[in-house]
Amino acid sequence: METGTSTSNSGSSSRNDSYEAIKNGSWFNQFRNGCNPWMARYAYGMIFLIANLLAWAARDYGQRALTEVTKFKNCKGGENCLGTEGVLRVSLGCFLFYFVMFLSTLGTSKTHSSRDRWHSGWWSAKLIMWPSLTIIPFLLPSTIIRLYGEIAHFGAGVFLLIQLISVISFITWLNECYQSKKDAERCHVHVMLLATTSYTVCIVGLILMYIWYAPDSSCLLNIFFITWTLFLLQLMTSIALHPKVNAGYLTPALMGLYVVFICWCAIRSEPVGESCNRKAAESNRTDWLTIISFVVALLAMVIATFSTGIDSQCFQFKKDTNNQGEEVEEEEDDVPYGYGFFHFVFATGAMYFAMLLIGWNTHHPMKKWTIDVGWTSTWVRIVNEWLAVCVYIWMLVAPIILKSKRQMTTET
């Protein structure tokens, strides 16, 4: 009996050692060993990137594939499988693939389990499943695709919310990391330098937006967007530095960078014909700068989806503790990231890239080499900015409010 137990433990130890060797090995060793979750992340990211490129090709260059597309039953001469509907069909195929992976890997907690092997391996089966699920939406009628387009608005909103919480959690973690250092004096200098740089970039960015996007007093909407962003930056700083909160000046500075960036993206999403958007008017013709901007925006979206997908811990609101209240350390055979959450983020990301490529409007044609352009896109960005500030402020004041409620309960 003891021999069997010893053999089992040695076998488990051997598997963990080989797993750790794969994790810490070179990229070549990780790629050569197809069944490991670290290389699987990049494989799924590559599939997502290819789906983005297919959706873009269906929108901008679908006419060249018109003769092939007309073979599908529900394409009606190709018009229902190109442009906006083409994007939605590719997006639906991508969504189906990651949603199936989400359902089949949800709750995976240990490595070397069957679901872990399914997530990290079985690539021959997935190379059949993914193209099949991509083709299926092209066989569906337009009514189902339009219904998916409406649902995708909600799914894209969920993705933005997840991304928002992930960004705020990272900023909070960075601040706690600096505060927990033993050599506080050296870290204090680093925090001061990073915060000062962030605030400087915020102010310069706001000034440039006034110059570029609010050239005269008639641009009231852009003036409101920029001025309100400045107010929100001051509000976050004031609350963070309040004696009861005492969150320091690093987190509001980094959050200021984030909201200024969102405001800039929102104003850039305004239609080209607007007189207040001089930068958009200058880039009205398709040139190398427009193409580079499109490619960078597409890659940034894929990278954002990838980085958010592996950040499942920011949604672990309650940490595992033992009977003494101490935090339980991760075991060697625990999965390195939440597989289900990873695929869920990519599934909602599939809806998000569809909304970017059609400008959040299923009835609005998009110009070639453009992404996330239109008034709907602008207001989605602005609301996302305001929501980011609300979530950040709530994370600052929530502990104080909950603490005061507990005190009132104990007193009564």
Side-chain angles (χ1 to χ4, degrees), residues 121-138:
W122 290 85
W123 293 109
S124 56
K126 290 170 189 173
L127 289 176
I128 297 174
M129 183 177 74
W130 171 49
S132 301
L133 292 175
T134 303
I135 293 173
I136 287 175
F138 286 89

Side-chain angles (χ1 to χ4, degrees), residues 222-277:
N222 286 354
I223 293 174
F224 167 71
F225 287 158
I226 301 168
T227 306
W228 188 252
T229 301
L230 177 61
F231 167 75
L232 293 177
L233 175 61
Q234 294 175 331
L235 178 65
M236 289 188 297
T237 305
S238 300
I239 294 176
L241 295 179
H242 192 277
K244 289 186 177 181
V245 178
N246 195 24
Y249 34 78
L250 180 59
T251 56
L254 295 177
M255 275 301 298
L257 276 179
Y258 183 59
V259 298
V260 168
F261 173 74
I262 296 178
C263 180
W264 174 75
C265 291
I267 297 178
R268 276 188 61 87
S269 295
E270 293 175 0
V272 174
E274 299 299 316
S275 59
C276 295
N277 197 341

Side-chain angles (χ1 to χ4, degrees), residues 52-73:
N52 277 257
L53 295 174
L54 286 175
W56 158 73
R59 188 197 71 175
D60 287 1
Y61 295 97
Q63 294 295 333
R64 297 181 181 180
L66 188 60
T67 55
E68 297 297 326
V69 170
T70 52
K71 295 178 181 179
F72 291 105
K73 178 181 177 182

Side-chain angles (χ1 to χ4, degrees), residues 72-350:
F72 291 105
K73 178 181 177 182
N74 293 287
C75 286
K76 294 183 180 179
E79 60 182 10
N80 289 346
C81 293
L82 304 175
T84 297
E85 281 208 16
V87 172
L88 291 175
R89 290 176 189 272
V90 174
S91 170
L92 177 56
C94 184
F95 168 79
L96 290 174
F97 173 76
Y98 285 107
F99 193 70
V100 168
M101 293 303 304
F102 161 70
L103 294 177
S104 58
T105 59
L106 182 64
T108 307
S109 58
K110 299 296 181 181
T111 56
H112 309 297
S113 64
S114 57
R115 285 186 292 178
D116 171 66
R117 287 191 292 270
W118 165 243
H119 167 80
S120 307
W122 290 85
W123 293 109
S124 56
K126 290 170 189 173
L127 289 176
I128 297 174
M129 183 177 74
W130 171 49
S132 301
L133 292 175
T134 303
I135 293 173
I136 287 175
F138 286 89
L139 306 175
L140 301 177
S142 296
T143 52
I144 295 179
I145 301 304
R146 284 194 290 267
L147 176 62
Y148 169 74
E150 298 302 322
I151 298 174
H153 286 84
F154 172 77
V158 172
F159 173 82
L160 286 174
L161 182 61
I162 294 173
Q163 187 184 54
L164 168 63
I165 296 175
S166 178
V167 169
I168 295 177
S169 297
F170 170 75
I171 291 173
T172 305
W173 169 83
L174 186 64
N175 185 57
E176 291 176 353
C177 186
Y178 274 116
Q179 289 180 347
S180 63
K181 294 286 185 180
K182 295 181 179 179
D183 46 349
E185 287 298 324
R186 184 169 63 86
C187 284
H188 181 70
V189 174
H190 291 166
V191 169
M192 283 286 292
L193 183 61
L194 183 57
T196 303
T197 304
S198 300
Y199 277 120
T200 303
V201 173
C202 288
I203 299 302
V204 171
L206 291 169
I207 292 173
L208 290 176
M209 281 194 285
Y210 274 119
I211 296 172
W212 290 339
Y213 304 116
D216 52 63
S217 57
S218 63
C219 303
L220 293 177
L221 188 60
N222 286 354
I223 293 174
F224 167 71
F225 287 158
I226 301 168
T227 306
W228 188 252
T229 301
L230 177 61
F231 167 75
L232 293 177
L233 175 61
Q234 294 175 331
L235 178 65
M236 289 188 297
T237 305
S238 300
I239 294 176
L241 295 179
H242 192 277
K244 289 186 177 181
V245 178
N246 195 24
Y249 34 78
L250 180 59
T251 56
L254 295 177
M255 275 301 298
L257 276 179
Y258 183 59
V259 298
V260 168
F261 173 74
I262 296 178
C263 180
W264 174 75
C265 291
I267 297 178
R268 276 188 61 87
S269 295
E270 293 175 0
V272 174
E274 299 299 316
S275 59
C276 295
N277 197 341
R278 290 181 177 178
K279 286 290 178 182
E282 291 172 4
S283 60
N284 191 19
R285 56 191 177 85
T286 302
D287 54 10
W288 65 270
L289 186 59
T290 306
I291 294 174
I292 291 176
S293 299
F294 174 83
V295 172
V296 169
L298 196 66
L299 290 176
M301 198 270 294
V302 174
I303 293 171
T305 307
F306 179 85
S307 59
T308 305
I310 60 177
D311 190 22
S312 58
Q313 290 187 351
C314 69
F315 290 87
Q316 188 178 351
F317 299 108
K318 185 178 180 181
K319 295 183 179 180
D320 296 330
T321 56
N322 56 22
N323 295 331
Q324 286 75 32
E326 298 174 348
E327 187 176 343
V328 178
E329 295 183 359
E330 292 185 0
E331 298 180 6
E332 289 183 355
D333 59 347
D334 286 344
V335 293
Y337 54 91
Y339 297 162
F341 178 81
F342 177 83
H343 292 295
F344 179 76
V345 170
F346 272 84
T348 56

